Amino acid sequence: VDAYFPFTEPSAELEVFYGGDWLEVLGCGVMRQEILTEGGSPEKRAWAFGLGLERLAMVLFEIPDIRLFWSEDERFLKQWKGANESNWRDLRFKSFSKYPAVFKDMAFWLPEDADYGGESNSIENNLCELIKDVGGDLVEEVKLIDEFTNPKIGKTSNCYRISYRSMERSLTNEEINALQDTTRDRVVEELKVELR
């Protein structure tokens, strides 16, 4: 499918349908010419590829949160010690976060000149990047849960659900509300959307 990556145009990604959801496993594209020119090779063309091995491992070992791959938490790491070519097929992640997720929704009208076509999902990619910049490791998932176009005004609205979760502690409403307020302010300022 068409995709948006900041260093390639055109871009594409390979997705597989698994467990009732689409899972990105490969991203690729033609390197933007200005990058090659700045790198001293203006006459060249290049491709960039990225394979989502961690996403495949998430499916294979039932790991629910991609952030765990960058964790140094022993509760995660020790689950894979002793894995070898004869027993890896039997390994499954055993959840250890006893803390609940906190869900916050954010709905907004897309700007009329929204780049939701050629460089598909650039608003969504920028939104996810912005949310993760504000919330850091507390952001577990950002998911589009509703999209509609109001026929009277001809505007399109998107609603995203942000799930926050800590592996070490319960999150407070005050803490998450502060993150959400900052996120909402930055979304308006940086993405030029109108909150609903």
Side-chain angles (χ1 to χ4, degrees):
V1 296
D2 286 340
Y4 168 77
F5 301 111
F7 304 111
T8 59
E9 177 62 35
S11 305
E13 65 186 24
L14 173 67
E15 296 181 347
V16 295
F17 193 71
Y18 183 85
D21 206 359
W22 287 100
L23 179 69
E24 176 192 343
V25 294
L26 171 73
C28 65
V30 177
M31 293 287 294
R32 290 188 181 270
Q33 194 60 46
E34 61 266 23
I35 295 171
L36 295 170
T37 300
E38 289 176 20
S41 299
E43 73 289 350
K44 305 264 176 155
R45 300 278 291 162
W47 281 83
F49 296 89
L51 181 61
L53 291 177
E54 69 279 353
R55 294 182 188 275
L56 296 175
M58 288 175 72
V59 169
L60 188 62
F61 300 114
E62 300 174 4
I63 299 169
D65 188 343
I66 199 167
R67 297 174 298 170
L68 289 168
F69 288 102
W70 299 283
S71 168
E72 295 182 16
D73 192 312
E74 271 302 308
R75 296 173 294 177
F76 178 73
L77 299 176
K78 71 180 178 186
Q79 293 187 36
W80 315 107
K81 288 186 177 153
N84 58 50
E85 59 188 59
S86 65
N87 72 355
W88 68 268
R89 287 180 179 86
D90 300 323
L91 296 175
R92 295 295 175 269
F93 173 70
K94 295 173 191 71
S95 181
F96 56 82
S97 180
K98 60 184 178 187
Y99 303 104
V102 177
F103 301 99
K104 295 289 182 181
D105 293 348
M106 181 180 352
F108 51 80
W109 296 109
L110 294 173
E112 290 185 21
D113 61 345
D115 185 2
Y116 232 62
E119 293 182 354
S120 88
N121 294 344
S122 64
I123 284 184
E124 183 168 346
N125 287 342
N126 291 338
L127 174 69
C128 291
E129 190 175 302
L130 186 152
I131 290 169
K132 289 176 181 175
D133 184 49
V134 173
D137 287 340
L138 296 179
V139 177
E140 184 174 60
E141 183 180 37
V142 179
K143 186 173 187 176
L144 178 66
I145 60 168
D146 186 48
E147 178 176 27
F148 81 95
T149 300
N150 183 320
K152 289 184 180 178
I153 61 173
K155 292 175 101 175
T156 298
S157 170
N158 283 354
C159 181
Y160 286 86
R161 175 156 294 150
I162 306 165
S163 49
Y164 298 91
R165 184 190 315 259
S166 171
M167 294 297 198
E168 294 90 30
R169 61 189 173 81
S170 291
L171 300 172
T172 65
N173 280 329
E174 293 79 14
E175 173 182 22
I176 298 307
N177 287 342
L179 290 175
Q180 193 72 359
D181 288 345
T182 301
T183 299
R184 291 169 62 85
D185 291 344
R186 285 188 57 187
V187 162
V188 169
E189 181 181 330
E190 295 175 32
L191 300 184
K192 309 299 185 212
V193 299
E194 179 186 344
L195 293 174
R196 295 187 51 224

